[in-house]
Amino acid sequence: MIGLVKITMVKDTKVVSFINYKGGVGKTTLAVEISASLAKKGKDVLLIDLDPQTNATFYLMEEKDWNDWQENKGSLKDLFEAFMDGKSFDINKAINKDLNCSKYIPKLHLLPSHLELLFIDLELASKFGAKGMKSKSILRSALSKIKENYDYIIFDCPPNLNLVTQNSIVASNSIIIVAMPEYLSTIGIALIDRAIKNIEKEINDEIKSFGVVGTFKGPEIKGILFNRVRYVTGGTGYQEEVMERVRVDWSHLVFNTYVSQSDRIAQRGESKIPIAISGYAADKKYESQLRECAEEFLRRV
Ligand SMILES: Nc1ncnc2c1ncn2[C@@H]1O[C@H](COP(=O)(O)OP(=O)(O)OP(=O)(O)O)[C@@H](O)[C@H]1O
Ligand SMILES: [Mg+2]
């Protein structure tokens, strides 16, 4: 008799942080839209909102639904609080799989944020100290329970490099830096690179001090994606100059694709349906830009 052999396919999950500690550059917009584009392509995607501003959350959920959700199912804030209190947390229960856009892209799931996540950085630092693995590997270990359900886990980071963002760095394999073609939005690229290396060193020093064999490998910056680009027809313009400077320093990292400045994109959050799947004729240009960005994201990450 021939026995049945059960073959289990384990997903090679890519965990990616959308980062720039400069605010308002489009981290949330592109984390949500690229997540939606990937889900539209049939990928299983979990978007995690790490920002107490809860912008990614409200891009995809009505405020009243969020209120019920965080009260009954939990949010990212509860994950960190449970860890600090030494309690268990059901991360799967807190993931919203029934979003307004789920009828079009059921493969996009969201772990919502909470305004009180604002206090978590301070609480983590006062409880475990600002340095060391304990306060920085909480997300990484929480994700190990659900990681294999997803092809991509995408973090929408807040505009800082505090402990919650450092948790996302420790949990990620890859980093995408979202930038606007403006001086102030690009000067931080080198600092993010340095921050990743510092965290890697800090954790490896700690591992070594425990006498444990092995090393921790931090995430790699896999791309710099420009948003809110206003091309001047036939000319170069200031934005082109800034992008050129970034290409000189980080040539292999700059996305060939970019996202244009557009009111259609700015208005998107209100409808709870990402532009990447809206299907409106007026969104076509941006839908195709976002699709191209998502395709380049797949090649880079
Ligand atoms: N391509 C675009 N064209 C026009 N407006 C845009 C575009 N991308 C983002 N915006 C708008 O710019 C603002 C900032 O975008 P977003 O919230 O995505 O940035 P962020 O980097 O996540 O900000 P924060 O640092 O506060 O988290 C929002 O009002 C958003 O709607
Ligand atoms: Mg944001």
Side-chain angles (χ1 to χ4, degrees), residues 57-99:
T57 301
F58 293 136
Y59 206 115
L60 295 171
M61 283 178 88
E62 302 286 351
E63 225 175 307
K64 61 174 174 23
D65 295 338
W66 168 81
N67 209 21
D68 291 344
W69 191 271
Q70 61 85 17
E71 252 177 57
N72 300 313
K73 312 274 176 81
S75 73
L76 195 72
K77 171 195 75 125
D78 303 297
L79 183 154
F80 282 103
E81 279 182 347
F83 181 84
M84 285 190 279
D85 298 342
K87 293 183 181 151
S88 66
F89 177 74
D90 187 349
I91 185 168
N92 214 12
K93 186 175 154 199
I95 294 173
N96 189 341
K97 298 164 187 147
D98 187 20
L99 300 161

mmCIF file of all heavy atoms in Angstrom, residues 57-99:
data_model
loop_
_atom_site.group_PDB
_atom_site.id
_atom_site.type_symbol
_atom_site.label_atom_id
_atom_site.label_comp_id
_atom_site.label_asym_id
_atom_site.label_seq_id
_atom_site.Cartn_x
_atom_site.Cartn_y
_atom_site.Cartn_z
ATOM 1 N N THR A 57 -4.898 52.700 9.230
ATOM 2 C CA THR A 57 -6.119 52.085 9.756
ATOM 3 C C THR A 57 -7.350 52.766 9.161
ATOM 4 O O THR A 57 -8.257 52.098 8.640
ATOM 5 C CB THR A 57 -6.136 52.205 11.301
ATOM 6 O OG1 THR A 57 -4.975 51.541 11.803
ATOM 7 C CG2 THR A 57 -7.379 51.597 11.897
ATOM 8 N N PHE A 58 -7.371 54.109 9.205
ATOM 9 C CA PHE A 58 -8.559 54.820 8.722
ATOM 10 C C PHE A 58 -8.598 54.958 7.201
ATOM 11 O O PHE A 58 -9.600 55.403 6.646
ATOM 12 C CB PHE A 58 -8.691 56.182 9.420
ATOM 13 C CG PHE A 58 -8.995 56.031 10.884
ATOM 14 C CD1 PHE A 58 -8.350 56.788 11.831
ATOM 15 C CD2 PHE A 58 -9.917 55.080 11.318
ATOM 16 C CE1 PHE A 58 -8.620 56.629 13.188
ATOM 17 C CE2 PHE A 58 -10.191 54.904 12.668
ATOM 18 C CZ PHE A 58 -9.545 55.676 13.606
ATOM 19 N N TYR A 59 -7.536 54.581 6.537
ATOM 20 C CA TYR A 59 -7.536 54.498 5.063
ATOM 21 C C TYR A 59 -8.422 53.324 4.656
ATOM 22 O O TYR A 59 -8.994 53.288 3.580
ATOM 23 C CB TYR A 59 -6.104 54.253 4.599
ATOM 24 C CG TYR A 59 -5.720 54.716 3.205
ATOM 25 C CD1 TYR A 59 -4.768 55.726 3.044
ATOM 26 C CD2 TYR A 59 -6.238 54.130 2.062
ATOM 27 C CE1 TYR A 59 -4.359 56.145 1.782
ATOM 28 C CE2 TYR A 59 -5.836 54.541 0.790
ATOM 29 C CZ TYR A 59 -4.906 55.545 0.658
ATOM 30 O OH TYR A 59 -4.498 55.954 -0.593
ATOM 31 N N LEU A 60 -8.509 52.320 5.564
ATOM 32 C CA LEU A 60 -9.194 51.073 5.210
ATOM 33 C C LEU A 60 -10.415 50.769 6.087
ATOM 34 O O LEU A 60 -11.192 49.872 5.760
ATOM 35 C CB LEU A 60 -8.201 49.899 5.305
ATOM 36 C CG LEU A 60 -7.041 49.930 4.313
ATOM 37 C CD1 LEU A 60 -6.016 48.846 4.637
ATOM 38 C CD2 LEU A 60 -7.532 49.761 2.872
ATOM 39 N N MET A 61 -10.557 51.479 7.209
ATOM 40 C CA MET A 61 -11.676 51.191 8.132
ATOM 41 C C MET A 61 -12.429 52.458 8.490
ATOM 42 O O MET A 61 -11.808 53.506 8.660
ATOM 43 C CB MET A 61 -11.133 50.633 9.467
ATOM 44 C CG MET A 61 -10.706 49.212 9.454
ATOM 45 S SD MET A 61 -10.045 48.741 11.095
ATOM 46 C CE MET A 61 -11.549 48.227 11.933
ATOM 47 N N GLU A 62 -13.739 52.345 8.660
ATOM 48 C CA GLU A 62 -14.536 53.461 9.185
ATOM 49 C C GLU A 62 -14.176 53.625 10.658
ATOM 50 O O GLU A 62 -13.894 52.630 11.345
ATOM 51 C CB GLU A 62 -16.032 53.141 9.082
ATOM 52 C CG GLU A 62 -16.552 52.839 7.691
ATOM 53 C CD GLU A 62 -16.668 54.092 6.820
ATOM 54 O OE1 GLU A 62 -16.510 55.210 7.357
ATOM 55 O OE2 GLU A 62 -16.874 53.929 5.608
ATOM 56 N N GLU A 63 -14.270 54.863 11.152
ATOM 57 C CA GLU A 63 -13.903 55.125 12.542
ATOM 58 C C GLU A 63 -14.763 54.324 13.532
ATOM 59 O O GLU A 63 -14.259 53.793 14.519
ATOM 60 C CB GLU A 63 -14.055 56.621 12.813
ATOM 61 C CG GLU A 63 -12.874 57.178 13.560
ATOM 62 C CD GLU A 63 -12.969 58.678 13.719
ATOM 63 O OE1 GLU A 63 -13.160 59.380 12.708
ATOM 64 O OE2 GLU A 63 -12.841 59.137 14.875
ATOM 65 N N LYS A 64 -16.069 54.229 13.223
ATOM 66 C CA LYS A 64 -16.949 53.511 14.166
ATOM 67 C C LYS A 64 -16.602 52.004 14.178
ATOM 68 O O LYS A 64 -16.641 51.364 15.229
ATOM 69 C CB LYS A 64 -18.425 53.747 13.860
ATOM 70 C CG LYS A 64 -18.878 53.272 12.495
ATOM 71 C CD LYS A 64 -20.398 53.427 12.344
ATOM 72 C CE LYS A 64 -20.925 53.110 10.967
ATOM 73 N NZ LYS A 64 -20.220 52.267 10.052
ATOM 74 N N ASP A 65 -16.243 51.463 13.018
ATOM 75 C CA ASP A 65 -15.866 50.034 12.961
ATOM 76 C C ASP A 65 -14.573 49.801 13.745
ATOM 77 O O ASP A 65 -14.406 48.811 14.439
ATOM 78 C CB ASP A 65 -15.664 49.570 11.514
ATOM 79 C CG ASP A 65 -16.962 49.623 10.719
ATOM 80 O OD1 ASP A 65 -18.037 49.593 11.357
ATOM 81 O OD2 ASP A 65 -16.901 49.722 9.480
ATOM 82 N N TRP A 66 -13.635 50.776 13.609
ATOM 83 C CA TRP A 66 -12.366 50.671 14.331
ATOM 84 C C TRP A 66 -12.613 50.668 15.843
ATOM 85 O O TRP A 66 -12.007 49.894 16.584
ATOM 86 C CB TRP A 66 -11.444 51.841 13.959
ATOM 87 C CG TRP A 66 -10.251 51.940 14.870
ATOM 88 C CD1 TRP A 66 -9.104 51.206 14.802
ATOM 89 C CD2 TRP A 66 -10.109 52.784 16.017
ATOM 90 N NE1 TRP A 66 -8.249 51.549 15.826
ATOM 91 C CE2 TRP A 66 -8.850 52.513 16.583
ATOM 92 C CE3 TRP A 66 -10.932 53.747 16.603
ATOM 93 C CZ2 TRP A 66 -8.384 53.177 17.720
ATOM 94 C CZ3 TRP A 66 -10.468 54.410 17.736
ATOM 95 C CH2 TRP A 66 -9.201 54.115 18.283
ATOM 96 N N ASN A 67 -13.544 51.554 16.249
ATOM 97 C CA ASN A 67 -13.812 51.679 17.678
ATOM 98 C C ASN A 67 -14.292 50.340 18.257
ATOM 99 O O ASN A 67 -13.793 49.878 19.283
ATOM 100 C CB ASN A 67 -14.864 52.767 17.891
ATOM 101 C CG ASN A 67 -14.672 53.411 19.234
ATOM 102 O OD1 ASN A 67 -13.576 53.334 19.813
ATOM 103 N ND2 ASN A 67 -15.713 53.992 19.759
ATOM 104 N N ASP A 68 -15.244 49.701 17.559
ATOM 105 C CA ASP A 68 -15.737 48.382 18.009
ATOM 106 C C ASP A 68 -14.596 47.370 17.964
ATOM 107 O O ASP A 68 -14.436 46.550 18.862
ATOM 108 C CB ASP A 68 -16.852 47.862 17.085
ATOM 109 C CG ASP A 68 -18.112 48.700 17.232
ATOM 110 O OD1 ASP A 68 -18.203 49.446 18.223
ATOM 111 O OD2 ASP A 68 -18.971 48.621 16.327
ATOM 112 N N TRP A 69 -13.812 47.460 16.880
ATOM 113 C CA TRP A 69 -12.746 46.475 16.675
ATOM 114 C C TRP A 69 -11.717 46.513 17.802
ATOM 115 O O TRP A 69 -11.379 45.500 18.410
ATOM 116 C CB TRP A 69 -12.051 46.714 15.323
ATOM 117 C CG TRP A 69 -11.152 45.579 14.970
ATOM 118 C CD1 TRP A 69 -9.847 45.431 15.297
ATOM 119 C CD2 TRP A 69 -11.536 44.396 14.273
ATOM 120 N NE1 TRP A 69 -9.366 44.241 14.836
ATOM 121 C CE2 TRP A 69 -10.383 43.583 14.201
ATOM 122 C CE3 TRP A 69 -12.718 43.953 13.692
ATOM 123 C CZ2 TRP A 69 -10.389 42.333 13.569
ATOM 124 C CZ3 TRP A 69 -12.729 42.720 13.068
ATOM 125 C CH2 TRP A 69 -11.579 41.923 13.023
ATOM 126 N N GLN A 70 -11.227 47.733 18.075
ATOM 127 C CA GLN A 70 -10.153 47.834 19.085
ATOM 128 C C GLN A 70 -10.680 47.444 20.464
ATOM 129 O O GLN A 70 -9.950 46.878 21.259
ATOM 130 C CB GLN A 70 -9.459 49.201 19.037
ATOM 131 C CG GLN A 70 -10.306 50.437 19.303
ATOM 132 C CD GLN A 70 -10.446 50.752 20.783
ATOM 133 O OE1 GLN A 70 -9.674 50.262 21.605
ATOM 134 N NE2 GLN A 70 -11.443 51.546 21.129
ATOM 135 N N GLU A 71 -11.951 47.714 20.712
ATOM 136 C CA GLU A 71 -12.509 47.360 22.013
ATOM 137 C C GLU A 71 -12.685 45.851 22.174
ATOM 138 O O GLU A 71 -12.377 45.275 23.220
ATOM 139 C CB GLU A 71 -13.880 48.023 22.175
ATOM 140 C CG GLU A 71 -13.842 49.163 23.171
ATOM 141 C CD GLU A 71 -15.189 49.849 23.262
ATOM 142 O OE1 GLU A 71 -16.202 49.176 23.570
ATOM 143 O OE2 GLU A 71 -15.203 51.045 22.998
ATOM 144 N N ASN A 72 -13.182 45.209 21.091
ATOM 145 C CA ASN A 72 -13.527 43.780 21.206
ATOM 146 C C ASN A 72 -12.438 42.824 20.737
ATOM 147 O O ASN A 72 -12.333 41.711 21.238
ATOM 148 C CB ASN A 72 -14.808 43.488 20.404
ATOM 149 C CG ASN A 72 -15.952 44.315 20.941
ATOM 150 O OD1 ASN A 72 -16.157 44.367 22.155
ATOM 151 N ND2 ASN A 72 -16.669 44.988 20.058
ATOM 152 N N LYS A 73 -11.652 43.257 19.730
ATOM 153 C CA LYS A 73 -10.668 42.331 19.145
ATOM 154 C C LYS A 73 -9.231 42.736 19.457
ATOM 155 O O LYS A 73 -8.337 41.923 19.413
ATOM 156 C CB LYS A 73 -10.830 42.273 17.613
ATOM 157 C CG LYS A 73 -12.264 42.087 17.119
ATOM 158 C CD LYS A 73 -12.621 40.628 17.065
ATOM 159 C CE LYS A 73 -14.056 40.366 16.688
ATOM 160 N NZ LYS A 73 -14.380 40.418 15.311
ATOM 161 N N GLY A 74 -9.023 44.028 19.704
ATOM 162 C CA GLY A 74 -7.667 44.487 20.043
ATOM 163 C C GLY A 74 -6.977 45.213 18.890
ATOM 164 O O GLY A 74 -7.463 45.228 17.752
ATOM 165 N N SER A 75 -5.866 45.826 19.204
ATOM 166 C CA SER A 75 -5.087 46.567 18.210
ATOM 167 C C SER A 75 -3.606 46.351 18.540
ATOM 168 O O SER A 75 -3.280 45.660 19.519
ATOM 169 C CB SER A 75 -5.419 48.061 18.267
ATOM 170 O OG SER A 75 -4.850 48.612 19.437
ATOM 171 N N LEU A 76 -2.757 47.004 17.765
ATOM 172 C CA LEU A 76 -1.323 46.856 17.989
ATOM 173 C C LEU A 76 -0.894 47.309 19.391
ATOM 174 O O LEU A 76 0.023 46.751 19.985
ATOM 175 C CB LEU A 76 -0.571 47.666 16.934
ATOM 176 C CG LEU A 76 0.887 47.311 16.832
ATOM 177 C CD1 LEU A 76 1.087 45.960 16.194
ATOM 178 C CD2 LEU A 76 1.641 48.363 16.051
ATOM 179 N N LYS A 77 -1.602 48.292 19.901
ATOM 180 C CA LYS A 77 -1.301 48.786 21.259
ATOM 181 C C LYS A 77 -1.430 47.644 22.279
ATOM 182 O O LYS A 77 -0.607 47.480 23.176
ATOM 183 C CB LYS A 77 -2.275 49.916 21.615
ATOM 184 C CG LYS A 77 -2.205 50.359 23.052
ATOM 185 C CD LYS A 77 -3.400 51.202 23.432
ATOM 186 C CE LYS A 77 -4.645 50.397 23.621
ATOM 187 N NZ LYS A 77 -5.338 50.524 24.902
ATOM 188 N N ASP A 78 -2.493 46.822 22.112
ATOM 189 C CA ASP A 78 -2.724 45.723 23.063
ATOM 190 C C ASP A 78 -1.614 44.672 22.967
ATOM 191 O O ASP A 78 -1.283 44.026 23.955
ATOM 192 C CB ASP A 78 -4.092 45.078 22.805
ATOM 193 C CG ASP A 78 -5.194 46.114 22.908
ATOM 194 O OD1 ASP A 78 -5.364 46.674 23.994
ATOM 195 O OD2 ASP A 78 -5.838 46.405 21.882
ATOM 196 N N LEU A 79 -1.085 44.507 21.751
ATOM 197 C CA LEU A 79 0.019 43.536 21.583
ATOM 198 C C LEU A 79 1.207 43.949 22.462
ATOM 199 O O LEU A 79 1.758 43.141 23.214
ATOM 200 C CB LEU A 79 0.412 43.491 20.101
ATOM 201 C CG LEU A 79 1.492 42.520 19.651
ATOM 202 C CD1 LEU A 79 1.275 42.167 18.177
ATOM 203 C CD2 LEU A 79 2.903 43.039 19.825
ATOM 204 N N PHE A 80 1.576 45.238 22.383
ATOM 205 C CA PHE A 80 2.717 45.709 23.178
ATOM 206 C C PHE A 80 2.382 45.698 24.672
ATOM 207 O O PHE A 80 3.217 45.314 25.493
ATOM 208 C CB PHE A 80 3.127 47.125 22.741
ATOM 209 C CG PHE A 80 3.924 47.136 21.463
ATOM 210 C CD1 PHE A 80 3.344 47.503 20.264
ATOM 211 C CD2 PHE A 80 5.259 46.772 21.465
ATOM 212 C CE1 PHE A 80 4.081 47.504 19.086
ATOM 213 C CE2 PHE A 80 6.009 46.769 20.294
ATOM 214 C CZ PHE A 80 5.412 47.137 19.103
ATOM 215 N N GLU A 81 1.156 46.122 25.005
ATOM 216 C CA GLU A 81 0.795 46.163 26.433
ATOM 217 C C GLU A 81 0.790 44.768 27.042
ATOM 218 O O GLU A 81 1.252 44.566 28.164
ATOM 219 C CB GLU A 81 -0.571 46.828 26.610
ATOM 220 C CG GLU A 81 -0.440 48.336 26.569
ATOM 221 C CD GLU A 81 -1.747 49.074 26.777
ATOM 222 O OE1 GLU A 81 -2.827 48.441 26.714
ATOM 223 O OE2 GLU A 81 -1.673 50.296 26.988
ATOM 224 N N ALA A 82 0.252 43.791 26.282
ATOM 225 C CA ALA A 82 0.203 42.415 26.791
ATOM 226 C C ALA A 82 1.625 41.930 27.067
ATOM 227 O O ALA A 82 1.903 41.322 28.102
ATOM 228 C CB ALA A 82 -0.486 41.506 25.777
ATOM 229 N N PHE A 83 2.539 42.251 26.157
ATOM 230 C CA PHE A 83 3.927 41.824 26.347
ATOM 231 C C PHE A 83 4.498 42.440 27.626
ATOM 232 O O PHE A 83 5.132 41.760 28.436
ATOM 233 C CB PHE A 83 4.780 42.212 25.137
ATOM 234 C CG PHE A 83 6.206 41.787 25.273
ATOM 235 C CD1 PHE A 83 6.589 40.500 24.934
ATOM 236 C CD2 PHE A 83 7.167 42.652 25.781
ATOM 237 C CE1 PHE A 83 7.909 40.088 25.078
ATOM 238 C CE2 PHE A 83 8.484 42.254 25.933
ATOM 239 C CZ PHE A 83 8.853 40.970 25.582
ATOM 240 N N MET A 84 4.240 43.738 27.803
ATOM 241 C CA MET A 84 4.801 44.420 28.993
ATOM 242 C C MET A 84 4.200 43.865 30.282
ATOM 243 O O MET A 84 4.865 43.822 31.306
ATOM 244 C CB MET A 84 4.560 45.934 28.892
ATOM 245 C CG MET A 84 5.494 46.572 27.886
ATOM 246 S SD MET A 84 5.446 48.363 27.946
ATOM 247 C CE MET A 84 3.995 48.701 27.008
ATOM 248 N N ASP A 85 2.923 43.430 30.201
ATOM 249 C CA ASP A 85 2.266 42.891 31.407
ATOM 250 C C ASP A 85 2.480 41.385 31.560
ATOM 251 O O ASP A 85 1.883 40.760 32.447
ATOM 252 C CB ASP A 85 0.746 43.163 31.350
ATOM 253 C CG ASP A 85 0.455 44.661 31.337
ATOM 254 O OD1 ASP A 85 1.362 45.427 31.721
ATOM 255 O OD2 ASP A 85 -0.653 45.052 30.923
ATOM 256 N N GLY A 86 3.250 40.795 30.648
ATOM 257 C CA GLY A 86 3.513 39.353 30.716
ATOM 258 C C GLY A 86 2.269 38.515 30.426
ATOM 259 O O GLY A 86 2.141 37.376 30.869
ATOM 260 N N LYS A 87 1.328 39.091 29.635
ATOM 261 C CA LYS A 87 0.095 38.354 29.303
ATOM 262 C C LYS A 87 0.169 37.871 27.865
ATOM 263 O O LYS A 87 0.960 38.371 27.066
ATOM 264 C CB LYS A 87 -1.115 39.272 29.455
ATOM 265 C CG LYS A 87 -1.389 39.685 30.877
ATOM 266 C CD LYS A 87 -2.639 40.524 30.926
ATOM 267 C CE LYS A 87 -2.914 40.975 32.346
ATOM 268 N NZ LYS A 87 -3.614 42.243 32.409
ATOM 269 N N SER A 88 -0.734 36.921 27.519
ATOM 270 C CA SER A 88 -0.733 36.457 26.132
ATOM 271 C C SER A 88 -1.641 37.378 25.306
ATOM 272 O O SER A 88 -2.516 38.054 25.847
ATOM 273 C CB SER A 88 -1.212 35.012 26.048
ATOM 274 O OG SER A 88 -2.555 34.965 26.426
ATOM 275 N N PHE A 89 -1.403 37.396 23.993
ATOM 276 C CA PHE A 89 -2.199 38.250 23.105
ATOM 277 C C PHE A 89 -2.525 37.469 21.848
ATOM 278 O O PHE A 89 -1.634 36.890 21.229
ATOM 279 C CB PHE A 89 -1.395 39.521 22.753
ATOM 280 C CG PHE A 89 -2.107 40.424 21.790
ATOM 281 C CD1 PHE A 89 -3.191 41.195 22.208
ATOM 282 C CD2 PHE A 89 -1.721 40.496 20.459
ATOM 283 C CE1 PHE A 89 -3.863 42.018 21.317
ATOM 284 C CE2 PHE A 89 -2.383 41.325 19.564
ATOM 285 C CZ PHE A 89 -3.457 42.094 19.997
ATOM 286 N N ASP A 90 -3.815 37.438 21.484
ATOM 287 C CA ASP A 90 -4.229 36.693 20.295
ATOM 288 C C ASP A 90 -4.123 37.604 19.073
ATOM 289 O O ASP A 90 -5.064 38.317 18.726
ATOM 290 C CB ASP A 90 -5.674 36.198 20.490
ATOM 291 C CG ASP A 90 -6.104 35.261 19.366
ATOM 292 O OD1 ASP A 90 -5.359 35.173 18.361
ATOM 293 O OD2 ASP A 90 -7.165 34.632 19.505
ATOM 294 N N ILE A 91 -2.963 37.557 18.426
ATOM 295 C CA ILE A 91 -2.706 38.465 17.297
ATOM 296 C C ILE A 91 -3.669 38.167 16.134
ATOM 297 O O ILE A 91 -4.155 39.071 15.471
ATOM 298 C CB ILE A 91 -1.218 38.429 16.855
ATOM 299 C CG1 ILE A 91 -0.939 39.468 15.770
ATOM 300 C CG2 ILE A 91 -0.767 37.070 16.428
ATOM 301 C CD1 ILE A 91 0.510 39.707 15.466
ATOM 302 N N ASN A 92 -3.983 36.911 15.943
ATOM 303 C CA ASN A 92 -4.863 36.527 14.837
ATOM 304 C C ASN A 92 -6.246 37.152 14.996
ATOM 305 O O ASN A 92 -6.843 37.609 14.025
ATOM 306 C CB ASN A 92 -4.953 34.998 14.802
ATOM 307 C CG ASN A 92 -5.090 34.516 13.384
ATOM 308 O OD1 ASN A 92 -4.905 35.273 12.423
ATOM 309 N ND2 ASN A 92 -5.446 33.260 13.241
ATOM 310 N N LYS A 93 -6.716 37.193 16.232
ATOM 311 C CA LYS A 93 -8.032 37.784 16.509
ATOM 312 C C LYS A 93 -8.039 39.292 16.213
ATOM 313 O O LYS A 93 -9.040 39.849 15.771
ATOM 314 C CB LYS A 93 -8.363 37.538 17.996
ATOM 315 C CG LYS A 93 -9.749 37.969 18.406
ATOM 316 C CD LYS A 93 -10.006 37.574 19.855
ATOM 317 C CE LYS A 93 -11.037 38.493 20.484
ATOM 318 N NZ LYS A 93 -10.995 38.447 21.940
ATOM 319 N N ALA A 94 -6.904 39.942 16.437
ATOM 320 C CA ALA A 94 -6.836 41.404 16.249
ATOM 321 C C ALA A 94 -6.662 41.813 14.787
ATOM 322 O O ALA A 94 -6.733 42.999 14.461
ATOM 323 C CB ALA A 94 -5.690 41.969 17.082
ATOM 324 N N ILE A 95 -6.429 40.825 13.898
ATOM 325 C CA ILE A 95 -6.249 41.145 12.473
ATOM 326 C C ILE A 95 -7.612 41.227 11.795
ATOM 327 O O ILE A 95 -8.380 40.268 11.834
ATOM 328 C CB ILE A 95 -5.354 40.083 11.796
ATOM 329 C CG1 ILE A 95 -3.936 40.167 12.378
ATOM 330 C CG2 ILE A 95 -5.327 40.282 10.289
ATOM 331 C CD1 ILE A 95 -3.011 39.061 11.900
ATOM 332 N N ASN A 96 -7.887 42.363 11.185
ATOM 333 C CA ASN A 96 -9.169 42.552 10.493
ATOM 334 C C ASN A 96 -9.074 41.981 9.076
ATOM 335 O O ASN A 96 -8.293 42.454 8.254
ATOM 336 C CB ASN A 96 -9.510 44.052 10.453
ATOM 337 C CG ASN A 96 -10.925 44.296 9.938
ATOM 338 O OD1 ASN A 96 -11.513 43.418 9.302
ATOM 339 N ND2 ASN A 96 -11.450 45.469 10.216
ATOM 340 N N LYS A 97 -9.891 40.954 8.837
ATOM 341 C CA LYS A 97 -9.883 40.297 7.511
ATOM 342 C C LYS A 97 -11.148 40.650 6.738
ATOM 343 O O LYS A 97 -11.439 40.066 5.711
ATOM 344 C CB LYS A 97 -9.789 38.778 7.708
ATOM 345 C CG LYS A 97 -8.503 38.388 8.418
ATOM 346 C CD LYS A 97 -8.526 36.988 8.970
ATOM 347 C CE LYS A 97 -7.272 36.771 9.804
ATOM 348 N NZ LYS A 97 -7.432 35.910 10.934
ATOM 349 N N ASP A 98 -11.955 41.544 7.310
ATOM 350 C CA ASP A 98 -13.220 41.908 6.675
ATOM 351 C C ASP A 98 -13.301 43.434 6.554
ATOM 352 O O ASP A 98 -14.079 44.089 7.238
ATOM 353 C CB ASP A 98 -14.375 41.345 7.536
ATOM 354 C CG ASP A 98 -15.713 41.542 6.847
ATOM 355 O OD1 ASP A 98 -15.716 41.745 5.620
ATOM 356 O OD2 ASP A 98 -16.744 41.526 7.546
ATOM 357 N N LEU A 99 -12.464 43.955 5.682
ATOM 358 C CA LEU A 99 -12.382 45.406 5.482
ATOM 359 C C LEU A 99 -13.407 45.842 4.430
ATOM 360 O O LEU A 99 -13.981 44.993 3.745
ATOM 361 C CB LEU A 99 -10.968 45.764 4.992
ATOM 362 C CG LEU A 99 -9.844 45.369 5.947
ATOM 363 C CD1 LEU A 99 -8.499 45.306 5.228
ATOM 364 C CD2 LEU A 99 -9.784 46.362 7.107
#
